[in-house]
Amino acid sequence: MNNEKKPTIPEIMKHRMTLSFEVFPPKQDKPLDPLMEVLDKLYTVEPDFISCTYGAGGTNVGRHMEICKSIAESGKTIPISHFTCIGSHREDIKKQMDTCLSLGINHILVLRGDIPEGWEGTRGDFQHASELIGFLREEYGDKFVLSMAAAPEKHIEAATFAEDIAHLKMKQDSGADFITTQLCYDVQGFERWLDKIRKAGIYIPVDVGIMPVLNKNSVIKMCLGTNGCSIPQPLAEMISKHYNDDPEDFRKAGIEYTVKMVYEYMALGVQGLHFYSLNKADAVLEICKDCGLIYRK
Ligand code: FAD
């Protein structure tokens, strides 16, 4: 697929809300086939893009490139490669970015990355995503569309919302084109955050990260494990009501909850819905169908 002739994601967002999915690469010793089957299912709903995570210092380093290459070659949608500052140095970053361009990958989600346990800082040339965004703009001009991360409930390391939002503004000012958010089950809190960032002069489109509610332990772990995200009262109530359900009944109730939440996000006029697929197509596709997001073009 030649992405350069097609509209970029921020260009599409000027006209309508985008629909997209996130996948993650399997570990190095695992086959790619199951993920390819997931991608084939996700293509059926014509997403605007599919992003692939970058395993900073993990067991799947480098595999994101294989996945993004395969998405680009499919011609079905735009691939977005995540890329982090963890252990990344200027010359190697340039090599990887040149490879991306040669493979038709021109959308990057630029991140600092999660600092591996026991590390001080990123052990790379850049300590924050804003610095890496600035570097890519300086080196590549407008060849890349750059997305940046944001945490609507405040990044866990930031002391205050004001401080975190000032850092988000730095990422925009360094050249980011749109925001992809962390999961956020607190839609009212999200609305307050959106108002705050707009007042702070952050005007680029916001793509909301939607983590489907499918399993109670995963929700609790994802919110409280490392992200510092809240479980709002209606979600707490839903989990309690279905706490002892068998997994399939909980999943049904969770999908219903997620659909309602997605409608609330749509009512806020967000520019995109980005579903964390967790490499399982069926649940996210069911949610998209129930939200009327399929055949929407
Ligand atoms: P930054 O923007 O650098 O911010 C990190 C912290 O530093 C914040 O508290 C911020 O307020 C503060 N800060 C920023 N700039 C400055 C400054 N100049 N001076 C002082 N403090 C500053 N991780 C992965 O490893 N791989 C992935 O593929 C991946 N994908 C993700 C996708 C999405 C949509 C999101 C939301 C997160 C993803 N993450 C991924 C996790 C992400 O790397 C972590 O949330 C990480 O802790 C912060 O990344 P960031 O890009 O927001 O960092």
Side-chain angles (χ1 to χ4, degrees):
M1 185 168 76
N2 185 348
N3 286 330
E4 278 167 14
K5 288 186 188 137
K6 301 211 171 216
T8 63
I9 294 305
E11 282 166 357
I12 298 171
M13 285 170 168
K14 279 186 196 157
H15 304 290
R16 61 166 172 80
M17 190 184 70
T18 56
L19 168 66
S20 58
F21 302 106
E22 178 188 285
V23 297
F24 59 85
K27 291 180 180 167
Q28 285 294 354
D29 58 345
K30 298 279 183 229
L32 282 180
D33 301 3
L35 179 55
M36 293 301 148
E37 283 169 25
V38 170
L39 289 174
D40 281 339
K41 283 188 182 177
L42 296 177
Y43 293 150
T44 61
V45 302
E46 299 183 32
D48 293 295
F49 69 87
I50 295 180
S51 81
C52 183
T53 65
Y54 180 86
T59 52
N60 54 9
V61 175
R63 287 207 108 178
H64 66 287
M65 202 71 101
E66 280 177 74
I67 314 297
C68 288
K69 177 173 180 269
S70 149
I71 297 170
E73 283 172 355
S74 78
K76 303 279 188 193
T77 190
I78 292 175
I80 297 196
S81 172
H82 296 205
F83 193 81
T84 78
C85 302
I86 306 296
S88 299
H89 297 274
R90 282 181 178 78
E91 283 317 304
D92 188 48
I93 294 169
K94 283 206 276 183
K95 268 191 209 146
Q96 295 204 46
M97 290 301 128
D98 290 344
T99 305
C100 281
L101 287 177
S102 72
L103 296 173
I105 302 160
N106 68 345
H107 284 61
I108 308 283
L109 170 51
V110 186
L111 302 143
R112 181 197 65 188
D114 288 318
I115 309 278
E117 234 177 272
W119 284 34
E120 273 288 316
T122 64
R123 297 192 188 171
D125 287 342
F126 305 107
Q127 289 307 315
H128 291 289
S130 56
E131 297 164 22
L132 180 52
I133 291 169
F135 172 72
L136 294 179
R137 275 284 169 252
E138 212 175 283
E139 289 293 324
Y140 292 95
D142 290 336
K143 283 185 182 157
F144 285 105
V145 171
L146 303 178
S147 181
M148 59 180 256
E153 296 183 83
K154 185 179 82 50
H155 186 264
I156 189 83
E157 292 164 30
T160 62
F161 268 97
E163 180 188 305
D164 203 33
I165 290 172
H167 294 142
L168 295 182
K169 175 86 166 42
M170 283 169 69
K171 294 200 264 194
Q172 172 184 275
D173 294 347
S174 302
D177 296 301
F178 71 101
I179 292 172
T180 310
T181 76
Q182 185 56 272
L183 69 98
C184 179
Y185 293 119
D186 179 5
V187 182
Q188 287 174 0
F190 180 96
E191 190 176 11
R192 288 192 294 277
W193 171 81
L194 195 57
D195 188 49
K196 277 189 198 138
I197 65 163
R198 294 309 188 211
K199 284 186 176 140
I202 299 172
Y203 53 79
I204 56 177
V206 174
D207 193 15
V208 186
I210 305 285
M211 184 64 80
V213 176
L214 299 173
N215 171 295
K216 64 176 186 287
N217 293 330
S218 307
V219 171
I220 294 166
K221 190 171 169 211
M222 273 177 301
C223 287
L224 309 181
T226 50
N227 293 318
C229 295
S230 58
I231 298 179
Q233 199 276 335
L235 179 56
E237 196 172 288
M238 179 259 146
I239 293 175
S240 293
K241 267 190 190 158
H242 296 276
Y243 204 81
N244 294 316
D245 283 6
D246 66 49
E248 191 44 39
D249 286 343
F250 186 92
R251 182 181 179 275
K252 269 189 206 148
I255 286 184
E256 204 175 301
Y257 185 92
T258 311
V259 169
K260 191 167 165 284
M261 180 179 75
V262 171
Y263 273 115
E264 287 172 7
Y265 273 121
M266 287 198 271
L268 292 184
V270 295
Q271 282 86 14
L273 295 169
H274 186 55
F275 288 88
Y276 296 113
S277 80
L278 305 173
N279 289 6
K280 290 188 180 82
D282 294 345
V284 284
L285 293 183
E286 199 176 324
I287 292 163
C288 290
K289 187 164 166 273
D290 289 353
C291 293
L293 292 166
I294 297 182
Y295 310 121
R296 74 203 195 292
K297 287 180 191 169

